[in-house]
Amino acid sequence: MCKSNAIKTHIRCVFRNARQKDSDMRYLKTFELIEAVVRAGSIRKAAEDTNLTASALNRRIQQFEQEFGWPIFERLPRGMRLNPAGELLMQHIGLQRTDLARIQSQVADLSGERRGHVSIACSQALLPYFMPEQIAIYRAAHPGVSFSVNIRDRAQAEQDLASFSSDLALVFEPVHLVDFEVLCALPQAVHAVFQHDSPLAQKSELRLSDCLEYDIVLPTSAYGVRNLLELAAARKGRTMAPIVETESFDLIRHYVTCENAVGFQIPIGLSAKKQGGIAHRPLSVRDLPTGRLLLGQMKGRTLPVASAKFGQQLVAALEMRASE
């Protein structure tokens, strides 16, 4: 069968499935309005955001609730919020969007356009080197694909997957893993970061106790690096008392050049070469176990074609790093 006939056959299947889901598809615009109310927290503010009158938007929501058979919002004195039925509906909206995006991506893939959109939640450590390189490699082969890169800590990344805000997540030491389907795991030892001429650079084995002789700069407790450090220090009867605590790994890298202090990060976010006046070394595994950088998706979810293919590329890249 020629390509054009294959595409037509696929599209007929898509529309046949769509007719079976007519009751869902015809509500897509209403779903967008419901999401606007959820974001704004009130009819008035959502009406401004969607260029509707408050009365028109309220009627639209009420009409949907009547057809749906249940109220989906709690009407509060100062706004509106989803009730349990509304929470379930929002999950359904996310699934419908994902299903539609997947079908659109499959059609585009069949037609040779290679279009689509990939959303990924990742730790800041992936931003300086790994993620830009991987996105550029993918777009060189598929220039019609766009990307959203959402900076998230480990708990937020899992929430992104659950809410369908991101297709993939690449984070260090995730928290729960209940609905997190692991696609690949890359071991990552925590590295100490310090001035290039620090005596720490000459140690044959860098111990945590060596680093704690200096002022330290730490990420917040939301990050896996901090969690591993806190556990290691507690085992030795020590406490972590940072002079600077931050959500920014860029700040950690740059601050140690301004003061004789020690920061901590995983190596995927650091250059192999000395740069900008800093050096880095792994902490001894006798003090700190090697952590895991995990690539994953929502368990049981079928990803859009572009996201699935990018995930496969990331798996290959991480496995190559593991073998180095």
Side-chain angles (χ1 to χ4, degrees), residues 69-103:
W70 296 91
I72 61 172
F73 283 104
E74 293 182 43
R75 269 71 175 178
L76 305 172
R78 295 188 178 180
M80 298 174 68
R81 71 181 178 197
L82 291 172
N83 62 19
E87 295 284 356
L88 288 173
L89 177 67
M90 292 302 292
Q91 293 179 21
H92 173 75
I93 292 172
L95 286 169
Q96 290 301 310
R97 282 238 176 84
T98 298
D99 198 37
L100 182 60
R102 178 175 57 83
I103 292 172

PDB file of all heavy atoms in Angstrom, residues 69-103:
ATOM      1  N   GLY A  69     -23.881  15.861  35.224  1.00  0.00           N
ATOM      2  CA  GLY A  69     -24.674  15.193  36.255  1.00  0.00           C
ATOM      3  C   GLY A  69     -24.204  15.448  37.670  1.00  0.00           C
ATOM      4  O   GLY A  69     -24.844  15.007  38.632  1.00  0.00           O
ATOM      5  N   TRP A  70     -23.088  16.184  37.812  1.00  0.00           N
ATOM      6  CA  TRP A  70     -22.543  16.474  39.138  1.00  0.00           C
ATOM      7  C   TRP A  70     -21.918  17.868  39.126  1.00  0.00           C
ATOM      8  O   TRP A  70     -21.326  18.272  38.116  1.00  0.00           O
ATOM      9  CB  TRP A  70     -21.444  15.474  39.521  1.00  0.00           C
ATOM     10  CG  TRP A  70     -21.914  14.080  39.655  1.00  0.00           C
ATOM     11  CD1 TRP A  70     -21.954  13.130  38.677  1.00  0.00           C
ATOM     12  CD2 TRP A  70     -22.429  13.464  40.837  1.00  0.00           C
ATOM     13  NE1 TRP A  70     -22.449  11.965  39.161  1.00  0.00           N
ATOM     14  CE2 TRP A  70     -22.757  12.127  40.496  1.00  0.00           C
ATOM     15  CE3 TRP A  70     -22.643  13.901  42.145  1.00  0.00           C
ATOM     16  CZ2 TRP A  70     -23.280  11.239  41.412  1.00  0.00           C
ATOM     17  CZ3 TRP A  70     -23.162  13.000  43.058  1.00  0.00           C
ATOM     18  CH2 TRP A  70     -23.481  11.696  42.701  1.00  0.00           C
ATOM     19  N   PRO A  71     -21.993  18.596  40.222  1.00  0.00           N
ATOM     20  CA  PRO A  71     -21.201  19.830  40.316  1.00  0.00           C
ATOM     21  C   PRO A  71     -19.719  19.481  40.384  1.00  0.00           C
ATOM     22  O   PRO A  71     -19.344  18.439  40.936  1.00  0.00           O
ATOM     23  CB  PRO A  71     -21.675  20.468  41.635  1.00  0.00           C
ATOM     24  CG  PRO A  71     -22.217  19.335  42.436  1.00  0.00           C
ATOM     25  CD  PRO A  71     -22.790  18.348  41.442  1.00  0.00           C
ATOM     26  N   ILE A  72     -18.872  20.308  39.813  1.00  0.00           N
ATOM     27  CA  ILE A  72     -17.426  20.036  39.825  1.00  0.00           C
ATOM     28  C   ILE A  72     -16.649  21.075  40.617  1.00  0.00           C
ATOM     29  O   ILE A  72     -15.449  20.920  40.843  1.00  0.00           O
ATOM     30  CB  ILE A  72     -16.871  19.946  38.387  1.00  0.00           C
ATOM     31  CG1 ILE A  72     -17.081  21.263  37.638  1.00  0.00           C
ATOM     32  CG2 ILE A  72     -17.492  18.779  37.645  1.00  0.00           C
ATOM     33  CD1 ILE A  72     -16.386  21.313  36.292  1.00  0.00           C
ATOM     34  N   PHE A  73     -17.316  22.155  41.015  1.00  0.00           N
ATOM     35  CA  PHE A  73     -16.667  23.213  41.786  1.00  0.00           C
ATOM     36  C   PHE A  73     -17.368  23.411  43.131  1.00  0.00           C
ATOM     37  O   PHE A  73     -18.584  23.236  43.237  1.00  0.00           O
ATOM     38  CB  PHE A  73     -16.699  24.550  41.036  1.00  0.00           C
ATOM     39  CG  PHE A  73     -15.702  24.661  39.927  1.00  0.00           C
ATOM     40  CD1 PHE A  73     -16.101  24.546  38.607  1.00  0.00           C
ATOM     41  CD2 PHE A  73     -14.362  24.883  40.201  1.00  0.00           C
ATOM     42  CE1 PHE A  73     -15.185  24.655  37.571  1.00  0.00           C
ATOM     43  CE2 PHE A  73     -13.433  24.989  39.175  1.00  0.00           C
ATOM     44  CZ  PHE A  73     -13.850  24.877  37.862  1.00  0.00           C
ATOM     45  N   GLU A  74     -16.582  23.778  44.121  1.00  0.00           N
ATOM     46  CA  GLU A  74     -17.124  24.324  45.356  1.00  0.00           C
ATOM     47  C   GLU A  74     -17.193  25.833  45.195  1.00  0.00           C
ATOM     48  O   GLU A  74     -16.178  26.461  44.872  1.00  0.00           O
ATOM     49  CB  GLU A  74     -16.223  23.982  46.547  1.00  0.00           C
ATOM     50  CG  GLU A  74     -16.168  22.510  46.899  1.00  0.00           C
ATOM     51  CD  GLU A  74     -15.280  22.274  48.114  1.00  0.00           C
ATOM     52  OE1 GLU A  74     -15.388  23.052  49.081  1.00  0.00           O
ATOM     53  OE2 GLU A  74     -14.460  21.345  48.059  1.00  0.00           O
ATOM     54  N   ARG A  75     -18.374  26.407  45.371  1.00  0.00           N
ATOM     55  CA  ARG A  75     -18.538  27.858  45.301  1.00  0.00           C
ATOM     56  C   ARG A  75     -18.231  28.432  46.678  1.00  0.00           C
ATOM     57  O   ARG A  75     -18.987  28.213  47.638  1.00  0.00           O
ATOM     58  CB  ARG A  75     -19.961  28.231  44.881  1.00  0.00           C
ATOM     59  CG  ARG A  75     -20.170  28.383  43.379  1.00  0.00           C
ATOM     60  CD  ARG A  75     -20.133  27.064  42.634  1.00  0.00           C
ATOM     61  NE  ARG A  75     -20.468  27.241  41.207  1.00  0.00           N
ATOM     62  CZ  ARG A  75     -20.477  26.253  40.336  1.00  0.00           C
ATOM     63  NH1 ARG A  75     -20.171  25.025  40.722  1.00  0.00           N
ATOM     64  NH2 ARG A  75     -20.784  26.493  39.070  1.00  0.00           N
ATOM     65  N   LEU A  76     -17.129  29.144  46.799  1.00  0.00           N
ATOM     66  CA  LEU A  76     -16.685  29.719  48.064  1.00  0.00           C
ATOM     67  C   LEU A  76     -16.934  31.222  48.069  1.00  0.00           C
ATOM     68  O   LEU A  76     -17.086  31.831  47.005  1.00  0.00           O
ATOM     69  CB  LEU A  76     -15.191  29.434  48.272  1.00  0.00           C
ATOM     70  CG  LEU A  76     -14.789  27.951  48.202  1.00  0.00           C
ATOM     71  CD1 LEU A  76     -13.277  27.815  48.228  1.00  0.00           C
ATOM     72  CD2 LEU A  76     -15.413  27.188  49.345  1.00  0.00           C
ATOM     73  N   PRO A  77     -16.960  31.853  49.252  1.00  0.00           N
ATOM     74  CA  PRO A  77     -17.185  33.307  49.308  1.00  0.00           C
ATOM     75  C   PRO A  77     -16.192  34.103  48.476  1.00  0.00           C
ATOM     76  O   PRO A  77     -16.522  35.148  47.921  1.00  0.00           O
ATOM     77  CB  PRO A  77     -17.045  33.620  50.805  1.00  0.00           C
ATOM     78  CG  PRO A  77     -17.380  32.339  51.494  1.00  0.00           C
ATOM     79  CD  PRO A  77     -16.866  31.254  50.598  1.00  0.00           C
ATOM     80  N   ARG A  78     -14.958  33.596  48.372  1.00  0.00           N
ATOM     81  CA  ARG A  78     -13.923  34.352  47.660  1.00  0.00           C
ATOM     82  C   ARG A  78     -13.405  33.629  46.423  1.00  0.00           C
ATOM     83  O   ARG A  78     -12.287  33.874  45.978  1.00  0.00           O
ATOM     84  CB  ARG A  78     -12.761  34.661  48.605  1.00  0.00           C
ATOM     85  CG  ARG A  78     -13.151  35.583  49.746  1.00  0.00           C
ATOM     86  CD  ARG A  78     -11.934  35.998  50.534  1.00  0.00           C
ATOM     87  NE  ARG A  78     -12.274  36.929  51.607  1.00  0.00           N
ATOM     88  CZ  ARG A  78     -11.389  37.453  52.445  1.00  0.00           C
ATOM     89  NH1 ARG A  78     -10.104  37.105  52.351  1.00  0.00           N
ATOM     90  NH2 ARG A  78     -11.773  38.294  53.386  1.00  0.00           N
ATOM     91  N   GLY A  79     -14.197  32.765  45.867  1.00  0.00           N
ATOM     92  CA  GLY A  79     -13.734  32.108  44.648  1.00  0.00           C
ATOM     93  C   GLY A  79     -14.313  30.721  44.482  1.00  0.00           C
ATOM     94  O   GLY A  79     -15.315  30.361  45.089  1.00  0.00           O
ATOM     95  N   MET A  80     -13.614  29.926  43.666  1.00  0.00           N
ATOM     96  CA  MET A  80     -14.066  28.577  43.356  1.00  0.00           C
ATOM     97  C   MET A  80     -12.878  27.620  43.379  1.00  0.00           C
ATOM     98  O   MET A  80     -11.762  27.997  43.021  1.00  0.00           O
ATOM     99  CB  MET A  80     -14.727  28.537  41.967  1.00  0.00           C
ATOM    100  CG  MET A  80     -15.964  29.408  41.868  1.00  0.00           C
ATOM    101  SD  MET A  80     -16.611  29.478  40.183  1.00  0.00           S
ATOM    102  CE  MET A  80     -17.193  27.797  39.985  1.00  0.00           C
ATOM    103  N   ARG A  81     -13.147  26.407  43.811  1.00  0.00           N
ATOM    104  CA  ARG A  81     -12.116  25.369  43.748  1.00  0.00           C
ATOM    105  C   ARG A  81     -12.772  24.047  43.410  1.00  0.00           C
ATOM    106  O   ARG A  81     -13.970  23.834  43.655  1.00  0.00           O
ATOM    107  CB  ARG A  81     -11.348  25.277  45.067  1.00  0.00           C
ATOM    108  CG  ARG A  81     -12.132  24.690  46.222  1.00  0.00           C
ATOM    109  CD  ARG A  81     -11.304  24.653  47.488  1.00  0.00           C
ATOM    110  NE  ARG A  81     -12.083  24.133  48.617  1.00  0.00           N
ATOM    111  CZ  ARG A  81     -11.731  24.296  49.887  1.00  0.00           C
ATOM    112  NH1 ARG A  81     -10.641  24.980  50.186  1.00  0.00           N
ATOM    113  NH2 ARG A  81     -12.473  23.781  50.849  1.00  0.00           N
ATOM    114  N   LEU A  82     -12.003  23.151  42.836  1.00  0.00           N
ATOM    115  CA  LEU A  82     -12.524  21.857  42.433  1.00  0.00           C
ATOM    116  C   LEU A  82     -12.962  21.032  43.640  1.00  0.00           C
ATOM    117  O   LEU A  82     -12.280  21.018  44.669  1.00  0.00           O
ATOM    118  CB  LEU A  82     -11.472  21.072  41.656  1.00  0.00           C
ATOM    119  CG  LEU A  82     -11.097  21.592  40.261  1.00  0.00           C
ATOM    120  CD1 LEU A  82      -9.905  20.819  39.738  1.00  0.00           C
ATOM    121  CD2 LEU A  82     -12.264  21.484  39.299  1.00  0.00           C
ATOM    122  N   ASN A  83     -14.081  20.326  43.499  1.00  0.00           N
ATOM    123  CA  ASN A  83     -14.460  19.328  44.491  1.00  0.00           C
ATOM    124  C   ASN A  83     -13.913  17.974  44.029  1.00  0.00           C
ATOM    125  O   ASN A  83     -13.260  17.889  42.982  1.00  0.00           O
ATOM    126  CB  ASN A  83     -15.991  19.317  44.678  1.00  0.00           C
ATOM    127  CG  ASN A  83     -16.728  18.929  43.399  1.00  0.00           C
ATOM    128  OD1 ASN A  83     -16.154  18.333  42.490  1.00  0.00           O
ATOM    129  ND2 ASN A  83     -17.999  19.279  43.312  1.00  0.00           N
ATOM    130  N   PRO A  84     -14.122  16.886  44.785  1.00  0.00           N
ATOM    131  CA  PRO A  84     -13.551  15.592  44.359  1.00  0.00           C
ATOM    132  C   PRO A  84     -13.980  15.162  42.961  1.00  0.00           C
ATOM    133  O   PRO A  84     -13.169  14.610  42.208  1.00  0.00           O
ATOM    134  CB  PRO A  84     -14.079  14.631  45.435  1.00  0.00           C
ATOM    135  CG  PRO A  84     -14.207  15.486  46.667  1.00  0.00           C
ATOM    136  CD  PRO A  84     -14.667  16.828  46.162  1.00  0.00           C
ATOM    137  N   ALA A  85     -15.244  15.430  42.587  1.00  0.00           N
ATOM    138  CA  ALA A  85     -15.677  15.089  41.226  1.00  0.00           C
ATOM    139  C   ALA A  85     -14.900  15.897  40.200  1.00  0.00           C
ATOM    140  O   ALA A  85     -14.528  15.396  39.133  1.00  0.00           O
ATOM    141  CB  ALA A  85     -17.181  15.351  41.073  1.00  0.00           C
ATOM    142  N   GLY A  86     -14.639  17.158  40.517  1.00  0.00           N
ATOM    143  CA  GLY A  86     -13.864  18.011  39.622  1.00  0.00           C
ATOM    144  C   GLY A  86     -12.429  17.539  39.480  1.00  0.00           C
ATOM    145  O   GLY A  86     -11.839  17.610  38.391  1.00  0.00           O
ATOM    146  N   GLU A  87     -11.837  17.044  40.580  1.00  0.00           N
ATOM    147  CA  GLU A  87     -10.467  16.519  40.511  1.00  0.00           C
ATOM    148  C   GLU A  87     -10.398  15.333  39.563  1.00  0.00           C
ATOM    149  O   GLU A  87      -9.471  15.207  38.760  1.00  0.00           O
ATOM    150  CB  GLU A  87     -10.001  16.096  41.916  1.00  0.00           C
ATOM    151  CG  GLU A  87      -9.874  17.234  42.909  1.00  0.00           C
ATOM    152  CD  GLU A  87      -8.632  18.077  42.684  1.00  0.00           C
ATOM    153  OE1 GLU A  87      -7.824  17.725  41.795  1.00  0.00           O
ATOM    154  OE2 GLU A  87      -8.474  19.090  43.385  1.00  0.00           O
ATOM    155  N   LEU A  88     -11.403  14.450  39.654  1.00  0.00           N
ATOM    156  CA  LEU A  88     -11.444  13.301  38.741  1.00  0.00           C
ATOM    157  C   LEU A  88     -11.613  13.756  37.298  1.00  0.00           C
ATOM    158  O   LEU A  88     -11.001  13.206  36.372  1.00  0.00           O
ATOM    159  CB  LEU A  88     -12.592  12.364  39.132  1.00  0.00           C
ATOM    160  CG  LEU A  88     -12.399  11.555  40.417  1.00  0.00           C
ATOM    161  CD1 LEU A  88     -13.687  10.805  40.767  1.00  0.00           C
ATOM    162  CD2 LEU A  88     -11.239  10.583  40.281  1.00  0.00           C
ATOM    163  N   LEU A  89     -12.446  14.782  37.105  1.00  0.00           N
ATOM    164  CA  LEU A  89     -12.653  15.306  35.759  1.00  0.00           C
ATOM    165  C   LEU A  89     -11.358  15.862  35.183  1.00  0.00           C
ATOM    166  O   LEU A  89     -11.043  15.645  34.012  1.00  0.00           O
ATOM    167  CB  LEU A  89     -13.733  16.394  35.774  1.00  0.00           C
ATOM    168  CG  LEU A  89     -13.990  17.077  34.419  1.00  0.00           C
ATOM    169  CD1 LEU A  89     -14.601  16.077  33.434  1.00  0.00           C
ATOM    170  CD2 LEU A  89     -14.885  18.291  34.586  1.00  0.00           C
ATOM    171  N   MET A  90     -10.556  16.569  35.996  1.00  0.00           N
ATOM    172  CA  MET A  90      -9.302  17.144  35.516  1.00  0.00           C
ATOM    173  C   MET A  90      -8.333  16.046  35.079  1.00  0.00           C
ATOM    174  O   MET A  90      -7.599  16.207  34.105  1.00  0.00           O
ATOM    175  CB  MET A  90      -8.667  18.010  36.601  1.00  0.00           C
ATOM    176  CG  MET A  90      -9.436  19.285  36.915  1.00  0.00           C
ATOM    177  SD  MET A  90      -9.663  20.357  35.473  1.00  0.00           S
ATOM    178  CE  MET A  90      -7.971  20.886  35.196  1.00  0.00           C
ATOM    179  N   GLN A  91      -8.331  14.929  35.809  1.00  0.00           N
ATOM    180  CA  GLN A  91      -7.501  13.801  35.381  1.00  0.00           C
ATOM    181  C   GLN A  91      -7.968  13.288  34.012  1.00  0.00           C
ATOM    182  O   GLN A  91      -7.151  12.962  33.147  1.00  0.00           O
ATOM    183  CB  GLN A  91      -7.568  12.676  36.412  1.00  0.00           C
ATOM    184  CG  GLN A  91      -6.925  13.012  37.739  1.00  0.00           C
ATOM    185  CD  GLN A  91      -7.033  11.874  38.729  1.00  0.00           C
ATOM    186  OE1 GLN A  91      -7.232  10.720  38.368  1.00  0.00           O
ATOM    187  NE2 GLN A  91      -6.912  12.194  40.003  1.00  0.00           N
ATOM    188  N   HIS A  92      -9.279  13.227  33.838  1.00  0.00           N
ATOM    189  CA  HIS A  92      -9.843  12.784  32.563  1.00  0.00           C
ATOM    190  C   HIS A  92      -9.457  13.740  31.437  1.00  0.00           C
ATOM    191  O   HIS A  92      -9.101  13.310  30.337  1.00  0.00           O
ATOM    192  CB  HIS A  92     -11.369  12.710  32.693  1.00  0.00           C
ATOM    193  CG  HIS A  92     -12.069  12.427  31.402  1.00  0.00           C
ATOM    194  ND1 HIS A  92     -12.091  11.172  30.823  1.00  0.00           N
ATOM    195  CD2 HIS A  92     -12.758  13.239  30.557  1.00  0.00           C
ATOM    196  CE1 HIS A  92     -12.770  11.227  29.692  1.00  0.00           C
ATOM    197  NE2 HIS A  92     -13.195  12.465  29.509  1.00  0.00           N
ATOM    198  N   ILE A  93      -9.512  15.040  31.721  1.00  0.00           N
ATOM    199  CA  ILE A  93      -9.120  16.037  30.716  1.00  0.00           C
ATOM    200  C   ILE A  93      -7.681  15.806  30.278  1.00  0.00           C
ATOM    201  O   ILE A  93      -7.359  15.829  29.084  1.00  0.00           O
ATOM    202  CB  ILE A  93      -9.304  17.459  31.273  1.00  0.00           C
ATOM    203  CG1 ILE A  93     -10.797  17.775  31.465  1.00  0.00           C
ATOM    204  CG2 ILE A  93      -8.670  18.499  30.343  1.00  0.00           C
ATOM    205  CD1 ILE A  93     -11.059  19.087  32.181  1.00  0.00           C
ATOM    206  N   GLY A  94      -6.798  15.554  31.263  1.00  0.00           N
ATOM    207  CA  GLY A  94      -5.400  15.303  30.928  1.00  0.00           C
ATOM    208  C   GLY A  94      -5.234  14.080  30.043  1.00  0.00           C
ATOM    209  O   GLY A  94      -4.456  14.083  29.088  1.00  0.00           O
ATOM    210  N   LEU A  95      -5.985  13.031  30.341  1.00  0.00           N
ATOM    211  CA  LEU A  95      -5.912  11.811  29.532  1.00  0.00           C
ATOM    212  C   LEU A  95      -6.409  12.051  28.113  1.00  0.00           C
ATOM    213  O   LEU A  95      -5.821  11.560  27.148  1.00  0.00           O
ATOM    214  CB  LEU A  95      -6.742  10.707  30.189  1.00  0.00           C
ATOM    215  CG  LEU A  95      -6.144  10.071  31.448  1.00  0.00           C
ATOM    216  CD1 LEU A  95      -7.173   9.195  32.141  1.00  0.00           C
ATOM    217  CD2 LEU A  95      -4.901   9.272  31.105  1.00  0.00           C
ATOM    218  N   GLN A  96      -7.507  12.818  27.971  1.00  0.00           N
ATOM    219  CA  GLN A  96      -8.046  13.100  26.643  1.00  0.00           C
ATOM    220  C   GLN A  96      -7.050  13.900  25.816  1.00  0.00           C
ATOM    221  O   GLN A  96      -6.839  13.627  24.628  1.00  0.00           O
ATOM    222  CB  GLN A  96      -9.365  13.874  26.772  1.00  0.00           C
ATOM    223  CG  GLN A  96     -10.514  13.055  27.332  1.00  0.00           C
ATOM    224  CD  GLN A  96     -10.806  11.837  26.460  1.00  0.00           C
ATOM    225  OE1 GLN A  96     -10.939  11.953  25.255  1.00  0.00           O
ATOM    226  NE2 GLN A  96     -10.888  10.672  27.074  1.00  0.00           N
ATOM    227  N   ARG A  97      -6.417  14.894  26.442  1.00  0.00           N
ATOM    228  CA  ARG A  97      -5.423  15.702  25.732  1.00  0.00           C
ATOM    229  C   ARG A  97      -4.252  14.841  25.272  1.00  0.00           C
ATOM    230  O   ARG A  97      -3.752  14.973  24.163  1.00  0.00           O
ATOM    231  CB  ARG A  97      -4.928  16.814  26.661  1.00  0.00           C
ATOM    232  CG  ARG A  97      -5.902  17.967  26.780  1.00  0.00           C
ATOM    233  CD  ARG A  97      -5.202  19.262  26.348  1.00  0.00           C
ATOM    234  NE  ARG A  97      -6.172  20.338  26.374  1.00  0.00           N
ATOM    235  CZ  ARG A  97      -6.485  21.026  27.468  1.00  0.00           C
ATOM    236  NH1 ARG A  97      -5.917  20.721  28.610  1.00  0.00           N
ATOM    237  NH2 ARG A  97      -7.364  21.996  27.420  1.00  0.00           N
ATOM    238  N   THR A  98      -3.797  13.982  26.179  1.00  0.00           N
ATOM    239  CA  THR A  98      -2.677  13.106  25.849  1.00  0.00           C
ATOM    240  C   THR A  98      -3.019  12.181  24.699  1.00  0.00           C
ATOM    241  O   THR A  98      -2.225  11.985  23.779  1.00  0.00           O
ATOM    242  CB  THR A  98      -2.287  12.273  27.089  1.00  0.00           C
ATOM    243  OG1 THR A  98      -1.877  13.156  28.118  1.00  0.00           O
ATOM    244  CG2 THR A  98      -1.154  11.321  26.761  1.00  0.00           C
ATOM    245  N   ASP A  99      -4.231  11.608  24.738  1.00  0.00           N
ATOM    246  CA  ASP A  99      -4.660  10.680  23.698  1.00  0.00           C
ATOM    247  C   ASP A  99      -4.735  11.386  22.350  1.00  0.00           C
ATOM    248  O   ASP A  99      -4.280  10.857  21.325  1.00  0.00           O
ATOM    249  CB  ASP A  99      -6.027  10.109  24.079  1.00  0.00           C
ATOM    250  CG  ASP A  99      -6.352   8.846  23.300  1.00  0.00           C
ATOM    251  OD1 ASP A  99      -5.429   8.052  23.052  1.00  0.00           O
ATOM    252  OD2 ASP A  99      -7.519   8.676  22.925  1.00  0.00           O
ATOM    253  N   LEU A 100      -5.277  12.605  22.341  1.00  0.00           N
ATOM    254  CA  LEU A 100      -5.390  13.364  21.104  1.00  0.00           C
ATOM    255  C   LEU A 100      -4.009  13.731  20.560  1.00  0.00           C
ATOM    256  O   LEU A 100      -3.741  13.601  19.358  1.00  0.00           O
ATOM    257  CB  LEU A 100      -6.220  14.634  21.339  1.00  0.00           C
ATOM    258  CG  LEU A 100      -6.472  15.518  20.105  1.00  0.00           C
ATOM    259  CD1 LEU A 100      -7.217  14.743  19.028  1.00  0.00           C
ATOM    260  CD2 LEU A 100      -7.252  16.768  20.508  1.00  0.00           C
ATOM    261  N   ALA A 101      -3.106  14.167  21.467  1.00  0.00           N
ATOM    262  CA  ALA A 101      -1.748  14.523  21.040  1.00  0.00           C
ATOM    263  C   ALA A 101      -1.021  13.316  20.469  1.00  0.00           C
ATOM    264  O   ALA A 101      -0.271  13.424  19.496  1.00  0.00           O
ATOM    265  CB  ALA A 101      -0.967  15.112  22.221  1.00  0.00           C
ATOM    266  N   ARG A 102      -1.256  12.140  21.086  1.00  0.00           N
ATOM    267  CA  ARG A 102      -0.597  10.926  20.603  1.00  0.00           C
ATOM    268  C   ARG A 102      -1.069  10.577  19.190  1.00  0.00           C
ATOM    269  O   ARG A 102      -0.262  10.246  18.316  1.00  0.00           O
ATOM    270  CB  ARG A 102      -0.902   9.767  21.559  1.00  0.00           C
ATOM    271  CG  ARG A 102      -0.305   8.435  21.138  1.00  0.00           C
ATOM    272  CD  ARG A 102      -0.559   7.374  22.200  1.00  0.00           C
ATOM    273  NE  ARG A 102      -1.978   7.216  22.470  1.00  0.00           N
ATOM    274  CZ  ARG A 102      -2.788   6.467  21.726  1.00  0.00           C
ATOM    275  NH1 ARG A 102      -2.329   5.838  20.657  1.00  0.00           N
ATOM    276  NH2 ARG A 102      -4.065   6.354  22.042  1.00  0.00           N
ATOM    277  N   ILE A 103      -2.374  10.680  18.952  1.00  0.00           N
ATOM    278  CA  ILE A 103      -2.910  10.361  17.624  1.00  0.00           C
ATOM    279  C   ILE A 103      -2.406  11.363  16.588  1.00  0.00           C
ATOM    280  O   ILE A 103      -1.992  10.991  15.486  1.00  0.00           O
ATOM    281  CB  ILE A 103      -4.451  10.342  17.661  1.00  0.00           C
ATOM    282  CG1 ILE A 103      -4.936   9.155  18.500  1.00  0.00           C
ATOM    283  CG2 ILE A 103      -5.034  10.245  16.253  1.00  0.00           C
ATOM    284  CD1 ILE A 103      -6.419   9.144  18.775  1.00  0.00           C
TER     285      ILE A 103
END
